[in-house]
Amino acid sequence: MYNLDTKEEVDLDRFMEALENNEIQIVSKEWTEEEKAELSREIAKRRAMQKEALASKAVLA
């Protein structure tokens, strides 16, 4: 389980792993539009990096 305290710096690699494993629990919080957009960008960036890594592995195989 990954506990996310918004007042602390987030380990995004661990966060994305927890997200992919459906281990995220969201506690009620009013997200600002800026926070939502930032999280969406970061998720998209991490997914693109993972796809790129998988493609590189497939080419090398």
Side-chain angles (χ1 to χ4, degrees), residues 7-46:
K7 295 176 185 160
E8 296 178 10
E9 187 173 326
V10 176
D11 177 349
L12 291 175
D13 289 331
R14 188 160 178 241
F15 176 78
M16 290 304 296
E17 181 180 331
L19 183 63
E20 290 171 0
N21 294 326
N22 296 319
E23 297 174 339
I24 300 290
Q25 291 183 352
I26 299 180
V27 177
S28 180
K29 176 190 182 300
E30 292 293 324
W31 288 67
T32 65
E33 292 302 315
E34 181 180 307
E35 290 172 323
K36 290 177 188 177
E38 182 180 345
L39 182 58
S40 293
R41 283 191 302 273
E42 195 61 42
I43 289 170
K45 180 175 131 185
R46 298 284 174 164

